[in-house]
Amino acid sequence: MKKKNQDFWVGVDQLQDTQKFEEISANEFPSELPLANSLSKEDLLGAQASRRDFLKYLGFGLGAATLAASCDIPVKRAIPYVVKPDEIVPGIANYYASTFVRGGDYCSVLVKTREGRPIKIEGNNLCPLTQGGTSARAQASVLDLYNVNRYQGPGKMAEGQFAPISWADLDRQVKGALSSAAVIRVLTHTNLSPTFQAVLDEFTARYPGAKVLTYDPVSSSALLQASEAVHGQAVVPDFRFDQADVIVSFGADFLGTWISPVEYARQYASRRRVKDVEHPDMSYHVQVEAHMSMTGSNADKRIQVRPSAQGAAIAALYNALAGKNGAPTVSAPALKGEAAGEIQKLADRLQKSKGKALVVSGSNNLGDQLLVCAINQLLDSYGNTIGLDQISYQRQGLDREVHQLLDEMNKGAVDVLFVLGDANPAWELPYAAEFREAMKKVKFKLSTAGVPNETSSLCDYIAPDHHYLESWGDARPKAGVYSLQQPTIAPLFDTRQVGESFLRWAESPNFDPGTEEEPPYFRYVKKWWKENMFTRQNSYSDFQKFWDHSLHDGIVTVPSELAGLSANAVDVSAAAALQEKPSSAELEMVFFETVNIGGGQYATNPWLQEMPDPVARTTWNNYMAIPIFWDGGIEWKAFKGLNQQEIYGKADKVEVEIGGRKQTVSCIRQFGLAEGTLAMALGYGREQMGVCGYQEGVNVNPWIGLDKNGNVRYYATEVAVSDKVGEDDAFACVQYHHTMGVKGTDPQTGEELNVDEKTVMTLKEGYQGGLTNRSVLYYGSTKNLEELVEHIAEKRAEAQEWVEQSLYPYDKYNEKFYSQGHHWGMHIDMNACIGCGACQVACVAENNVPVVGRKEVSRHHEMTWLRIDRYFFGDYKNPHVAYQPMMCQHCDNAPCENVCPVAATNHSSEGLNQMTYNRCIGTRYCANNCPYKVRRFNWLDYSTADIFPANEPYVEHEDIPFGADNLTRMVLNPDVTVRSRGVIEKCSFCVQRLQEGKLTAKKEQRSLSDADVRTACQTACPTGAITFGDMNLKEDLAAKLDSPLNYYVLEEVGVRPSVAYSAKVVNTDEELTPAKKHESKEAHEEHGEG
Amino acid sequence: MSSHWLSRSFILLAMVLSTASLWGQGGDPAAGKTIFKNYCGACHNKDMKTDMTGPALGQAEEHWAEYPREDLYVWIRNSQALISAGHPRAVELWEKWKPVQMSPFPNLTDEDIENVLAYIHQEYTKEPVTAGGPGDGVPVEKADYGWLYWVIFVVLAVVAMVLSRLIAQFRYLNELKAGNVDAQKPAFGQMFRSKAFLTFLTFFVLAWLSFTVVNRAINLGRQQGYQPEQPIKFSHKTHAGLHKIDCKFCHDGARRSKHSVIPSANTCMNCHRAIKVGSTYGTAELTKIFASIGYDPTTDSYIENYDQLSNEEIEKIYTKWMRDQYMVAHGDFDALGETAVKRQWEDVVAALTHGEEDAKIQGPIEWVRVHNLPDHVYYNHSQHVEVGGLECQTCHGPVEEMDVLRQYAPLSMGWCVNCHRQTEVKAFKDNPYYQSYHRLHEELKAGKRSKVTVEDIGGTECQKCHY
């Protein structure tokens, strides 16, 4: 399948019609003007302006200017504290260790606060799980604190309307209901807090009719049940991806969403870096899945199987290994197609790495999970790549518990229902409609949601919980790892921590009313720690010292509280009987959790909504991924011939019917889908949540069913898709935005085009920027790594020749400026980069990058300073993927600087490409001249920074722009200017952090070290793929810059970028590069013959 | 007589000169600088040439030369003692400067005084430094030669007028000579109607107008000299000048943060728990601080649950205090006192409340911000104060002389950039941070450059202040 003359590509249109693609990509800005509606070309050309008009406007202008000039400068106030807290110095950030917890999602964090406002989340280096890494979700969580839609106090729901009441009233009502209730049910997502667990225990002890039921928004029920059967406890074993030489994942997106992605990503990346070119020593990762997940995109090999054949694939692997190890085999349906052979090969590979192999599965089928346990037992994984002492608590939800609740509710047996926090059963369950009906039969329903959701609107009372940044608490993600949560701001609203509420309702003897500084729940947590944690350590003899130290670090590790789990034998034939059978349906649809908005609980966060999905590169919507076919000639066809206009920002809409439910969805063409498979993301189409994300996308939950064991089954088999029924004109997919450096074909001859040879003159047609056949991406396999190194060296030497022909006296600059003082640079390891997007959200948070909304994204107007370019390469049918974080390259011969008519962008002696917003007049010449397409233009006042906000309360087609209210503005970083309309902006290498780091070094009278200057993207990265530093220092960065795999993007254009990338290496026997030239020749020949 | 006088002065002069040179060698100016800053600088001008609260010290030694050296020591340690003793020079000075008394400094040793004198001598003979220089507290006014341009302009205008008149006359005579009978004697006003003049005038007016417009436009939003009235009549002159409280004692952020920080009310209370009545305004101003923070000066304690008190309750507490103090001052509380207390209280309420939205007396004092930088400018106090070692006065002017604070500098970008161009990086050699600038260090060593300015290490680049 690997043909045609493309060695890597971003999407189908580039493969199909290179000329059209180049036309589009040659324009930095789309041809459609943003204000085209109001100012069409005809109007402008035919406009009549008389001399009188001119004079009128001139007169008015002068008059207005005079008036404006005579206005007084407004009086500004400086308001000091009355009693200044010792720890706050205005202008200096304080960092507090805390814990980001949302259901089972966990990240130990440092919260950066300025003048008492939390504004940024950083990773906590002391945490053994995350080791300073973060996820996009953790990065974005600070924005939820300032969500304008939060409940501002307790309330009573009457006919769907929220009516505020007092906490005393609410408590009276609750206690009244509890005293007469026989059956009380508390429904929650995974709870990681041992202290809150203690509270719930007190509650259930006080009310014998009470029971706590747990489920997860995206279920891992089968995994827990399998654990229960094999290990005797429903817990997640300790997967150690860093210990495995061979990793096989059956649909588990362990780098993106599965159980503990930050932890796993760090482990995984530690074995994926090429430290030594001669001995790459990479782990081998095989992903067996139906649609390309983020984890699958990083795999060395993907085996595509339809979702319903997943179980058969697991069984096939089990049988193959059982045969080799003399274990009993199971009867399983045969695998169709190439997959069967691939599984056999995989079994050989696994068998060779016995004891060094790890097999995981994201399946929610108990049979699948049991067989995976059996496979791991055959491979001696337990004790090697799967630990049984440090088990994880990060998923606790069992689907059967919600079914039981539903049954009870239907019978009218439940008197009181408490729904905690994010739990949103009336929306996120597959049988949400049924649940909604059943809720009507419950006499007393209360939600502790902080933000309105579909369930809280159906409850009788709302007892809103604090945001985690306002809360005291703790978390135990893994046995022996305890993490503390402390408030970094006083509660913004009249909310109350759910732990305190339950203590009050349970009439707990341990309830201590406390004081304003020490709220009841703080006292309770402290007491719990004194009784349970203090006794388990030996380092401190004084509790207060232990407490202070723990609070400061945010993390305490103690010996695991569990004795090692047992590993019983799996009854494999019983397990196989529990598996789902492959379907023979023509079409199947797989439902997956996205990295950004999860099961829908993160849909209220605009930063996450606007973060593109790593693989599909879509925002603000869940598009139905449709497979693409290539007939081997020049024609590419998507499923049903849909989405031909994708490159112009148009997606087709189709009607999809599953299980009798019909919905209209938009499509996106996608590589790497198993034949006959469609894919859609969970979590979109929320209905009650406030403004952001409201009804963005389609709710797929009603399409989801249960498997025969009663667990949620994340695929559907009987799918009917109609022909095109309409067009989605706000197709917010960024895959064709800001493309650069991809090759093209001469439309006349069909030859590969290089503008150096065929200039604009001979072609009579311009290819702006001349960026064809350039060094954008280097990749290779472990098999021909040496060739890759040679190839890079050769290309770089060639590029160097071009670079040296520059008119600009670089050597002079280098001698005078860059060689002394600082010369900032960055290194990005594309082998460690998994595409998770944490850096992108961190950049948005750090640099006050505005959110623009779906419509604006569809018009190429996204403002992100850092984008993650996703390139496909290799086989068309089953391509490999490289992620390339792309930000301003801070070129030392920057082409953008020369064309600025007002010198708003220029170069610093430290090698920074500086952007001065106040000087910028918005010609956008710089953006047009940027070969990397990293400059962004504020077409509209996205940040509402203009002095007179009333001038523009609406961004076209959007509601009031995000961030136009003072609550949301509290998240802004005061050290970074908020840009207004009409200026260009771009990555500054976090210059505010550089300046701060330099100042710290100066004040401490010492020389700078790389640790002083860490950019936001670097600190956010869970895998440490980004290294930033001073190229003149022989430290972290210099060590990274040594690798022979390093190259600079578009080095040959002579702009001297400061960001080095190291080539993508895939651990496979395929020869991926550098035999590019031969390939393309062959392709031409074949093409000619055809 | 005259010759006698001459010879005497000659001898004196010789003595002065010789001793002066001796004194110059005797003291250590560096040590003297510290003493000067700690004891003398508040009243005596640092340039040693102009008078301030106290006289200029530049020629002090010469003036005291005819008396024994010990007299000067005594004078500096305790001037009033010498005046009472009837020392002629002392009495002369007292006549000129009374009632300003010089504070006694009995702790100064002879050596200290010699050091100070050496420092004074050094400063007096030094070349004047331009305003804005590092560590230069009080800038020297630049001589203004603007008037000279006007003189030249008028002279040239007169010459031009005379010449044009002459040309016109000669032309007329020429015409007559040539026999042109119609030729008219040129009128005086004709010259103002000539094309050349009108062209010149138009050009001049246009040029002047554009110059003015551009200048005014540039100055829009700048507030040099801004001196708003503050809610409390706080005097920097009293605190920084008279009592010589270090700026950074109250503005403690300047050492560590980007903000210098307006002191919080509890900072004020460090001293004002002891000093409850002001020297100028009595209870009127200090009560504002007490009422803001909830300190009851009568009982010398902070009021419990102050936040919950109503304005009336607060009024009772503080009017009692004012009344008591009035009694102390006047020995009696009369109708006049009643009005005074009433007025004072109204003033307190006005200073601490802001209309309906903030009718509470408790809470912070809302000062009017004097130094405003635009939002797109990043400025860091600690960089300048801690690393750069600048005196606050370099940018804020002689704050210790201001009763009401005034914006001294234009705070324009040109002003910033200019200083960055001229100012030497003082810590360049000693702070290890700067070692990475090895080429500059080599140049300094080789004598190729005499100093490294802020600009030399990138201090005028855009993203040093704008990001």
Side-chain angles (χ1 to χ4, degrees), chain A residues 76 90 822 909 914 977, chain B residues 257 369 433 439 461 463 467:
Chain A
K76 287 187 187 157
H822 312 295
S909 58
Q914 312 179 107
T977 311
Chain B
S257 170
R369 210 182 150 104
Y433 168 79
R439 195 176 49 79
E461 288 161 5
Q463 274 191 346
Y467 44 76

Side-chain angles (χ1 to χ4, degrees), chain B residues 27-78:
Chain B
D28 173 15
K33 186 179 178 181
T34 326
I35 300 165
F36 184 88
K37 262 175 86 178
N38 289 347
Y39 299 110
C40 326
C43 299
H44 296 286
N45 201 331
K46 236 169 137 184
D47 70 351
M48 311 299 171
K49 293 188 182 77
T50 31
D51 293 344
M52 227 165 74
T53 316
L57 297 178
Q59 288 167 305
E61 281 175 294
E62 280 90 327
H63 290 142
W64 285 83
E66 37 182 316
Y67 310 105
R69 192 68 168 166
E70 283 68 33
D71 289 7
L72 186 53
Y73 296 163
V74 176
W75 167 251
I76 290 169
R77 283 199 199 102
N78 190 350

Side-chain angles (χ1 to χ4, degrees), chain A residues 73 76 78 80-82 90 92 816 819-822 908-909 914 916 918 975 977 991 999 1002-1003 1005, chain B residues 223 256-258 264-266 364-365 367 369 376 380 382-383 431-433 436-439 461-463 467:
Chain A
I73 294 168
K76 287 187 187 157
Y81 287 97
V82 176
I92 291 185
K816 190 162 180 212
S819 64
Q820 67 166 350
H822 312 295
S908 90
S909 58
Q914 312 179 107
T916 319
N918 266 62
D975 288 338
T977 311
V991 63
L999 183 55
K1002 282 181 205 169
K1003 280 199 250 183
Q1005 308 242 341
Chain B
Q223 299 177 307
R256 5 176 216 176
S257 170
K258 65 192 269 201
S264 54
N266 67 330
I365 301 152
W367 300 91
R369 210 182 150 104
H376 59 272
N380 195 310
S382 69
Q383 162 73 58
N431 191 336
Y433 168 79
S436 56
Y437 294 91
H438 52 81
R439 195 176 49 79
E461 288 161 5
C462 303
Q463 274 191 346
Y467 44 76

Side-chain angles (χ1 to χ4, degrees), chain A residues 69 73-84 89-92 114-115 815-817 819-822 903 906-910 912-919 974-977 988 991-992 995 998-999 1001-1003 1005-1008, chain B residues 220-223 226 252-253 255-259 261-266 292-293 354 363-369 372-373 375-376 378 380 382-383 386-387 413 430-434 436-440 457-458 461-464 466-467:
Chain A
I73 294 168
V75 172
K76 287 187 187 157
R77 304 250 169 209
I79 306 170
Y81 287 97
V82 176
V83 179
K84 189 172 85 69
V89 179
I92 291 185
R114 272 291 297 270
E115 286 89 51
E815 196 210 323
K816 190 162 180 212
F817 300 114
S819 64
Q820 67 166 350
H822 312 295
N906 49 42
H907 221 63
S908 90
S909 58
E910 296 169 8
L912 288 183
N913 173 238
Q914 312 179 107
M915 183 67 222
T916 319
Y917 311 119
N918 266 62
R919 221 181 231 194
D975 288 338
V976 177
T977 311
S988 65
V991 63
Q992 66 281 2
Q995 290 294 92
K998 282 160 64 184
L999 183 55
K1002 282 181 205 169
K1003 280 199 250 183
Q1005 308 242 341
R1006 58 176 173 81
S1007 51
L1008 189 93
Chain B
L220 270 182
R222 289 193 190 153
Q223 299 177 307
Y226 182 46
D252 63 333
R255 272 184 293 235
R256 5 176 216 176
S257 170
K258 65 192 269 201
H259 302 296
V261 178
I262 307 283
S264 54
N266 67 330
S292 151
I293 198 169
H354 302 276
I365 301 152
E366 294 193 16
W367 300 91
V368 179
R369 210 182 150 104
N372 291 298
L373 285 182
D375 288 344
H376 59 272
Y378 181 89
N380 195 310
S382 69
Q383 162 73 58
E386 194 69 13
V387 182
M413 182 163 134
D430 304 329
N431 191 336
Y433 168 79
Y434 294 105
S436 56
Y437 294 91
H438 52 81
R439 195 176 49 79
L440 291 176
I457 53 168
E461 288 161 5
C462 303
Q463 274 191 346
K464 291 294 186 296
H466 304 290
Y467 44 76

Side-chain angles (χ1 to χ4, degrees), chain A residues 203-217:
Chain A
F203 182 79
T204 45
R206 167 73 180 76
Y207 301 102
K211 205 169 153 193
V212 179
L213 308 168
T214 310
Y215 79 103
D216 285 308

Side-chain angles (χ1 to χ4, degrees), chain B residues 251-294:
Chain B
H251 298 287
D252 63 333
R255 272 184 293 235
R256 5 176 216 176
S257 170
K258 65 192 269 201
H259 302 296
S260 66
V261 178
I262 307 283
S264 54
N266 67 330
T267 309
C268 306
M269 293 304 294
N270 282 340
C271 299
H272 285 291
R273 225 181 142 156
I275 307 160
K276 296 180 196 169
V277 182
S279 54
T280 318
Y281 298 104
T283 51
E285 299 302 314
L286 283 174
T287 307
K288 291 176 184 170
I289 301 171
F290 302 150
S292 151
I293 198 169

Side-chain angles (χ1 to χ4, degrees), chain A residues 542-614:
Chain A
D542 174 31
F543 172 68
Q544 191 59 39
K545 273 192 189 141
F546 167 69
W547 174 255
D548 290 345
H549 187 84
S550 308
L551 208 53
H552 171 269
D553 288 356
I555 281 281
V556 175
T557 44
V558 292
S560 170
E561 60 271 25
L562 287 168
L565 294 178
S566 59
N568 307 323
V570 181
D571 180 354
V572 284
S573 52
L578 292 172
Q579 285 190 301
E580 290 280 298
K581 297 283 165 279
S583 146
S584 55
E586 191 192 341
L587 281 175
E588 295 181 19
M589 167 112 66
V590 58
F591 305 107
F592 62 96
E593 183 184 357
T594 62
V595 174
N596 41 6
I597 71 163
Q601 70 270 42
Y602 296 95
T604 51
N605 192 307
W607 288 350
L608 291 174
Q609 284 275 8
E610 200 153 300
M611 175 197 139
D613 178 82

